[in-house]
Amino acid sequence: MSLLITKDCVCCDACREECPDEAIYENTPIYTIDPDLCSECVNDFSEPACIVACPYECIISDPNNVETIEELRLKSRNREN
């Protein structure tokens, strides 16, 4: 599943700088994660880099974008090519 930034976001930019997928972009009033790009860092880190970097703990799993681990890995591999 992709990730989702909650309304608690203060646009501190910590998550966007850490995203290897470049899936996080500035939106009003909070940042947004593009579910078509987000791979939850499955091939890069043991946990999503944005969640680790977020000082406000406002990034959660998006229940509307459920994906298997294999789908997330494929997204990550496609990014590398």
Side-chain angles (χ1 to χ4, degrees):
M1 101 179 18
S2 179
L3 299 172
L4 175 72
I5 299 175
T6 68
K7 64 180 177 166
D8 297 328
C9 176
V10 297
C11 298
C12 70
D13 215 33
C15 62
R16 189 167 66 163
E17 293 178 6
E18 295 299 320
C19 181
D21 298 321
E22 298 180 2
I24 301 172
Y25 58 94
E26 195 170 348
N27 201 358
T28 304
I30 61 173
Y31 281 6
T32 301
I33 297 176
D34 185 337
D36 293 330
L37 298 176
C38 179
S39 69
E40 290 191 40
C41 301
V42 294
N43 289 340
D44 298 301
F45 305 105
S46 60
E47 58 187 308
C50 61
I51 289 176
V52 173
C54 180
Y56 297 96
E57 299 180 357
C58 61
I59 302 173
I60 60 172
S61 294
D62 184 351
N64 296 318
N65 288 299
V66 178
E67 297 170 293
T68 66
I69 294 295
E70 191 51 44
E71 289 171 318
L72 293 170
R73 285 187 178 130
L74 181 61
K75 255 199 257 189
S76 181
R77 280 194 293 268
N78 287 339
R79 176 193 79 222
E80 294 169 1
N81 294 331

